[in-house]
Amino acid sequence: MDKAHQFLKLVYGYDSFRPLQKEIIDHVVSGGDALVLMPTGGGKSICYQIPALMLEGTVIVVSPLISLMKDQVDALQANGIDAEALNSSNEEYVNRAIRERCLRGELKILYISPERLMLEIPWLQQNVKVAMVAIDEAHCVSQWGHDFRPEYTQLGTLKDQFPTIPIMALTATADKVTKADIIEQLRLHQPRVFVSSFDRPNLSLDVRKAYRKRERLYTILEVIARHKEESGIIYCLSRKGTEDLAADLKVHGVSVGIYHAGLSHEERTRVQNDFINDRIHVICATIAFGMGIDKSNIRFVIHNNLPKSIESYYQEIGRGGRDGLPTETILFYNIQDLITLRKFAEESGQRDINIEKLKRMQEYAEAQLCRRRILLNYFGETNDCHCGNCDVCKNPPQLFDGTTIVQKALSAIKRTNEQTGFILTTDILKGSFSATVIAKGYNNLKTFGAGRDIPAGDWHMYLLQMLQMGYIEIAYNEDNHLKITPMGEDVLWGRRQAQLSVIVREDLRVKKRKTTISLQEVSANAPSEDQQLFEKLRVLRRTIAEELGKPAYIVLSDKSLHSLVQEKPVNLLQFGNAYGIGEHKKMLFGERFVNLICSHLGVPRPPESSQ
Ligand code: ADP
Ligand code: ZN
C-alpha cells in the first residue's frame, strides 16, 4: 500500500480513493500546480488534506467562509489531524496561540480567510515552512463565476510570494470561462486541470409541475414524514416565501427553522447551528443558506420554487447526500415562478446571460428525457444515460393525441386577441366568472367554459406543455401575455396534430389516508433488531457529540452508523474496519460503541488480545 492509501485508511477509515483523488494528490505532492473541478460533495478536501499529511511543513487552505473553516477544522481534529483556522472572528489571543503552534511546526493544515492571508504573508514567508497553498471555492476569484469576492483577487500575488510552492485551486463551478479565468487570475504555473464527473448518483431527481399550493404542502409533509429525525432543506424564492411555508408546516406540527438574508447575523448563526447540531431538522431558506454547510447527512432538498439557473440548482441539491447515501430532491415548477424569475433576469446587470440561464433551467424542468442526462450534458459531460433515478426514467411520459385540447386553449387565446396570461386563459377555459373576465367581457366569448371538464391544475400543465412544444410563447415585454406561434397556428387551423403527455398526478388524499394507515401499521410492528441497534448507536453518537460540543456527523457519519449495524463489531479491531473510522476515532470512541454493540447482542465483550 502506498503512503496516500495508508493515510486514507488510517486517518479517514476509507478503503479506496474516488476517481481522480489519487492522481491529484500525486501531482501536487510532486510539486505541480493544479485546478480541481469536482461537484459539491465530490471529495475535494481529501485532495489537499492528504498531501498535507505527506509533505513536510504546513498546508495553507484559503477559504471564504468562517463557518466552512470551522466545520473542516472540526472534521480534521476529529480524525486526529493538527489543524486550526486563523480568522477575524477569533479573539486575538486565540489567533496568537495558533500562530505560535504554527511557528513550532505543529500544524499540518492552517485555514485562513483571503483578506487575513494577505496580512499574514510576510510572517509566514519568514517563519513557516509552507508546503502548499490550497484555494477552496476558487471561482470566487472570477468575475464570471457566480460568487465573485473582491478579496480573492489579491490571491494572484501568491505565486510571486511563494514561487516554488504548489498551488491547488478547487471549485465546484465548471464552466469554461470561469475555469480559464481562475488559472489566469491565480497565475497558476502550467497547472494540470482535473475535472471529475459531476454526477451524483445518490441524489434522486424529481420535478413536479403545476402543483397547487395545497398539493405542494402535502407533498412536502409527506417527504418530511418519510424522513423522521432526518435533515432536509426547502429552498424558497423569497423571504416571505420561507416564512409562509414555515408557518404552514408549523400548523401541521413540523418544527422548522427559517433562514434568509433579512434576519440578523445572530439569528442566522443560531438557526444554522441548530440545523448542524440536529436540534432543527427542516429549514425553509432562501439561497442565502447553505454556502457554509458541510453537514453530510442532509436527506432531502426541496425547491419550492424554480431556481434561476442550472448551476444554482445543482449546487443547492448538491448539499444533500454528501455522505453518499440515497437522498431525495424535488423541484416544484410553475409558470408564476418562471415569470417572476424572468423579471429578475430582465432587471439584473447581466440580462442576456441570466435570461439564457433561466431558459436552460426551464428546459430542464419541462424536459421529457432523463434529467440526469440533461444536467450532465449541461456541465459538458455528453452522454446518453438513462439513470433510473429520476422521475422521467421512473415514469416515462405517455403521449396521446391532444389536438382538441390544444385547439381549445389556442382558440381562447386567439379570441382575446392574445391579451391573456396563464391565469386568465385558464379562467376563460374553465368558465370562471372572475372579476377580470367580467370586466373584459370574456364571458361572452365562444370559448368561455369550453374546457370546463378539465381541472384548472391540468390546464396549467397543458399550457406548460404547449409552451414547451412551441405552440405558444410568453410575451415578457407585454404583461406576460400568451402569444400563438406559427406552429401553434398550424394546430389551431387543423394543419398539424398535437401530442400531449398524460398528466400523472398523485392522489394526495388517498395517499394521505394510506400514510396514516401505514404509520399505524409501522407503530404496530416492532422495529427490527437492526433498527433498534441503529437507534441506540444514534443516541450514543448524539451523547458523544454533546459532550464534545460538536455536530453528530463530525463524530461519525450516518454511513458509518449503517456500517456498524451491518458489521456489528465486537472488538476494537473490527470497529476500526468499519466505514469511515480511522485510528483516532477508533481510540476515542471505539470502546463505547463496541460495548454498546456487545450489550445489544447480549454477548460478553471478548478480550482484545483474542483478536
Ligand atoms: P467537497 O468536494 O464538497 O468539498 P468533501 O471533501 O466534503 O466534498 O467530501 C464529501 C464527503 O465525501 C465527505 O464526507 C468525505 O469524507 C467523503 N469522502 C471523500 N473522499 C472519500 C473516499 N475516497 N471514500 C469515501 N468517502 C469519501
Ligand atoms: Zn433518469
Side-chain angles (χ1 to χ4, degrees):
M1 219 200 265
D2 63 28
K3 262 243 156 79
H5 272 102
Q6 281 174 16
F7 281 122
L8 185 71
K9 182 70 190 155
L10 219 65
V11 176
Y12 299 88
Y14 299 145
D15 290 327
S16 53
F17 281 109
R18 291 188 181 156
L20 291 183
Q21 284 180 326
K22 179 69 168 57
E23 286 86 332
I24 296 166
I25 293 169
D26 287 346
H27 178 73
V28 294
V29 166
S30 61
D33 283 356
L35 171 60
V36 173
L37 298 126
M38 271 189 194
T40 312
K44 285 187 281 298
S45 328
I46 276 183
C47 299
Y48 56 80
Q49 291 174 354
I50 290 190
L53 300 174
M54 295 170 73
L55 292 167
E56 206 189 313
T58 305
V59 164
I60 308 281
V61 184
V62 180
S63 175
L65 289 175
I66 289 167
S67 57
L68 263 177
M69 289 188 211
K70 190 170 171 304
D71 212 69
Q72 297 263 355
V73 169
D74 279 350
L76 283 164
Q77 290 177 347
N79 281 328
I81 300 174
D82 289 302
E84 293 286 0
L86 204 55
N87 60 53
S88 327
S89 80
N90 289 345
E91 297 282 354
E92 246 344 277
Y93 77 90
V94 175
N95 280 339
R96 207 172 316 125
I98 293 174
R99 265 193 226 101
E100 275 159 20
R101 286 196 69 192
C102 207
L103 277 179
R104 291 196 296 270
E106 287 175 13
L107 291 184
K108 290 312 298 176
I109 305 187
L110 179 66
Y111 282 80
I112 193 162
S113 57
E115 61 278 12
R116 187 87 203 186
L117 176 60
M118 290 302 133
L119 297 176
E120 306 280 349
I121 278 182
W123 168 80
L124 285 168
Q125 269 176 321
Q126 276 179 18
N127 305 298
V128 177
K129 179 159 178 44
V130 176
M132 178 173 88
V133 179
I135 300 171
D136 206 4
E137 313 285 350
H139 59 276
C140 293
V141 78
S142 169
Q143 309 238 20
W144 296 103
H146 53 83
D147 195 24
F148 173 62
R149 284 167 185 259
E151 54 298 359
Y152 259 67
T153 44
Q154 304 169 14
L155 297 175
T157 58
L158 280 175
K159 206 64 213 177
D160 303 332
Q161 277 135 350
F162 299 98
T164 58
I165 291 164
I167 295 187
M168 176 190 257
L170 306 106
T171 175
T173 301
D175 73 86
K176 265 200 200 123
V177 199
T178 314
K179 203 160 48 179
D181 206 22
I182 294 173
I183 295 177
E184 194 186 317
Q185 301 280 335
L186 294 177
R187 301 185 215 158
L188 300 187
H189 179 64
Q190 298 182 341
R192 254 189 82 180
V193 179
F194 297 90
V195 183
S196 85
S197 168
F198 269 63
D199 192 13
R200 299 277 312 280
N202 62 317
L203 303 181
S204 73
L205 305 169
D206 197 343
V207 177
R208 311 279 173 100
K209 293 175 206 153
Y211 269 41
R212 274 164 294 190
K213 194 170 167 231
R214 225 164 52 128
E215 290 175 303
R216 259 195 256 188
L217 181 64
Y218 281 134
T219 308
I220 294 173
L221 285 168
E222 241 184 52
V223 174
I224 295 173
R226 254 203 306 283
H227 295 281
K228 204 165 165 278
E229 296 288 318
E230 293 180 333
S231 307
I233 308 176
I234 309 171
Y235 281 110
C236 303
L237 197 55
S238 64
R239 295 172 188 186
K240 183 156 184 316
T242 62
E243 282 158 4
D244 291 350
L245 181 60
D248 287 343
L249 291 172
K250 276 179 192 155
V251 169
H252 287 83
V254 182
S255 112
V256 283
I258 299 174
Y259 189 103
H260 55 67
L263 300 173
S264 68
H265 178 70
E266 291 72 38
E267 180 63 7
R268 274 183 288 161
T269 311
R270 186 186 67 74
V271 173
Q272 183 161 322
N273 285 336
D274 281 351
F275 183 66
I276 288 174
N277 292 297
D278 295 326
R279 290 187 290 267
I280 298 179
H281 291 300
V282 183
I283 297 275
C284 293
T286 59
I287 52 167
F289 184 69
M291 236 305 232
I293 303 265
D294 260 359
K295 186 172 168 64
S296 67
N297 56 349
I298 295 172
R299 290 276 75 89
F300 63 90
V301 179
I302 296 177
H303 281 88
N304 197 36
N305 304 97
L306 189 71
K308 66 179 190 309
S309 69
I310 290 190
E311 282 95 340
S312 320
Y313 168 65
Y314 205 56
Q315 196 166 44
E316 283 144 26
I317 60 172
R319 299 198 174 115
R322 279 174 187 248
D323 53 13
L325 291 174
T327 298
E328 230 181 313
T329 80
I330 298 181
L331 161 64
F332 291 107
Y333 172 50
N334 65 64
I335 283 295
Q336 197 46 53
D337 289 349
L338 189 63
I339 289 171
T340 311
L341 286 165
R342 172 77 188 209
K343 191 161 161 277
F344 291 167
E346 294 276 357
E347 289 164 1
S348 71
Q350 295 174 303
R351 178 187 180 277
D352 293 351
I353 296 179
N354 289 337
I355 286 181
E356 197 46 45
K357 291 196 165 183
L358 178 59
K359 263 197 197 142
R360 303 293 299 271
M361 187 68 234
Q362 179 188 356
E363 281 161 19
Y364 170 82
E366 290 172 352
Q368 308 230 342
L369 78 168
C370 174
R371 297 199 195 278
R372 202 169 307 273
R373 176 172 170 180
I374 303 175
L375 288 177
L376 294 180
N377 283 326
Y378 183 85
F379 292 115
E381 281 175 56
T382 41
N383 74 92
D384 57 358
C385 77
H386 179 84
C387 77
N389 198 16
C390 75
D391 59 315
V392 181
C393 284
K394 285 177 194 156
N395 292 305
Q398 288 176 357
L399 300 179
F400 68 98
D401 181 356
T403 312
T404 323
I405 293 178
V406 174
Q407 281 172 336
K408 279 183 189 170
L410 292 174
S411 161
I413 295 167
K414 190 90 183 166
R415 283 171 199 277
T416 67
N417 288 326
E418 304 182 321
Q419 293 302 306
T420 56
F422 251 84
I423 296 175
L424 201 48
T425 307
T426 309
D427 281 350
I428 297 171
L429 286 162
K430 289 290 293 171
S432 325
F433 287 91
S434 69
T436 328
V437 165
I438 296 165
K440 304 235 174 202
Y442 290 154
N443 47 329
N444 301 317
L445 294 180
K446 212 172 151 200
T447 26
F448 185 70
R452 216 173 249 130
D453 51 326
I454 294 174
D458 288 8
W459 271 119
H460 188 158
M461 278 285 260
Y462 288 138
L463 287 169
L464 271 178
Q465 290 188 28
M466 288 166 59
L467 190 66
Q468 172 193 3
M469 282 183 291
Y471 301 142
I472 51 173
E473 53 195 14
I474 301 175
Y476 291 104
N477 53 347
E478 280 181 50
D479 274 348
N480 307 311
H481 289 157
L482 300 176
K483 304 286 168 183
I484 302 174
T485 63
M487 208 173 14
E489 293 281 343
D490 283 352
V491 180
L492 182 59
W493 303 113
R495 296 189 292 263
R496 182 193 270 268
Q497 285 210 327
Q499 299 266 301
L500 291 175
S501 51
V502 176
I503 296 174
V504 196
R505 215 177 260 288
E506 296 164 279
D507 189 340
L508 289 163
R509 278 165 312 154
V510 176
K511 260 272 188 68
K512 211 174 150 233
R513 271 206 302 279
K514 265 204 201 138
T515 326
T516 348
I517 295 166
S518 62
L519 282 181
Q520 280 162 1
E521 278 165 2
V522 171
S523 48
N525 291 344
S528 72
E529 276 289 308
D530 279 359
Q531 280 166 340
Q532 287 181 26
L533 176 56
F534 186 83
E535 233 8 81
K536 289 182 190 171
L537 294 173
R538 204 210 306 253
V539 171
L540 176 55
R541 177 177 70 171
R542 177 175 297 181
T543 312
I544 294 175
E546 277 164 10
E547 286 167 13
L548 298 175
K550 303 284 177 207
Y553 64 89
I554 295 278
V555 175
L556 286 183
S557 71
D558 283 10
K559 210 165 169 179
S560 294
L561 291 195
H562 285 295
S563 162
L564 292 178
V565 170
Q566 193 122 52
E567 316 282 332
K568 302 188 179 57
V570 292
N571 61 40
L572 281 183
L573 185 72
Q574 291 170 358
F575 180 79
N577 278 331
Y579 176 91
I581 295 170
E583 280 299 303
H584 194 70
K585 288 187 177 173
K586 181 172 94 176
M587 298 324 290
L588 278 185
F589 322 126
E591 281 292 321
R592 293 167 79 177
F593 279 99
V594 168
N595 283 338
L596 176 80
I597 292 167
C598 288
S599 88
H600 173 82
L601 296 174
V603 297
R605 173 90 190 269
E608 287 293 325
S609 54
S610 70
Q611 288 169 17

